[in-house]
Amino acid sequence: MAKKIAVVIREDPRTTHRPVEALRIALGLVAGTHDTTVVLLNDAIRLLSDDLDDVVDMDILEKYLPSIEHLEIPFILQSDADRSLVQEQFAVQYQTADDIRRFLTEVDRTLVF
């Protein structure tokens, strides 16, 4: 039975490889039967930026981004996030912190990075 899963990424992709690894995991979950949404908090929004030069594992991330775009993986970002950092081709929703908390209580599983 398909599960509703949230992958929450809150770490800065410029300082650790974990955010890119979290996106790889999310991509694998979407390729299965799970309803997967990625929540990007704080500096994790840089994963969807045009400027990836400072991202740890940038070369790996660049391989995943076309598939993430093609599969239209849904992203949730905080409503006060810097929208100028986010490329337009991704399926992004902006929600308040309260709405994000509510969403996370409604999913079956949550993976936090």
Side-chain angles (χ1 to χ4, degrees):
M1 183 167 106
K3 302 281 185 197
K4 190 171 182 180
I5 299 174
V7 177
V8 180
I9 306 172
R10 60 184 179 181
E11 294 187 68
D12 188 340
R14 298 171 296 176
T15 60
T16 178
H17 72 281
R18 290 172 50 92
V20 173
E21 180 65 14
L23 274 183
R24 184 192 67 77
I25 291 168
L27 187 58
L29 291 168
V30 168
T33 60
H34 301 293
D35 178 14
T36 305
T37 301
V38 178
V39 179
L40 299 179
L41 303 174
N42 306 319
D43 286 324
I45 67 169
R46 294 182 179 282
L47 292 169
L48 302 181
S49 172
D50 280 331
D51 183 17
L52 301 175
D53 292 337
D54 294 338
V55 171
V56 176
D57 288 342
M58 172 193 65
D59 53 330
I60 296 171
L61 176 60
E62 288 178 330
K63 291 178 187 176
Y64 297 147
L65 288 177
S67 296
I68 290 168
E69 179 185 354
H70 175 75
L71 292 171
E72 297 179 349
I73 295 176
F75 288 90
I76 297 176
L77 281 64
Q78 291 178 287
S79 55
D80 61 352
D82 184 355
R83 296 174 188 216
S84 68
L85 292 176
V86 180
Q87 297 180 56
E88 293 181 11
Q89 69 265 29
F90 295 105
V92 175
Q93 298 176 14
Y94 293 91
Q95 296 184 6
T96 66
D98 286 340
D99 289 338
I100 292 171
R101 277 191 285 278
R102 193 172 309 111
F103 169 76
L104 293 176
T105 62
E106 295 171 355
V107 298
D108 298 309
R109 303 283 186 271
T110 305
L111 299 149
V112 181
F113 295 87

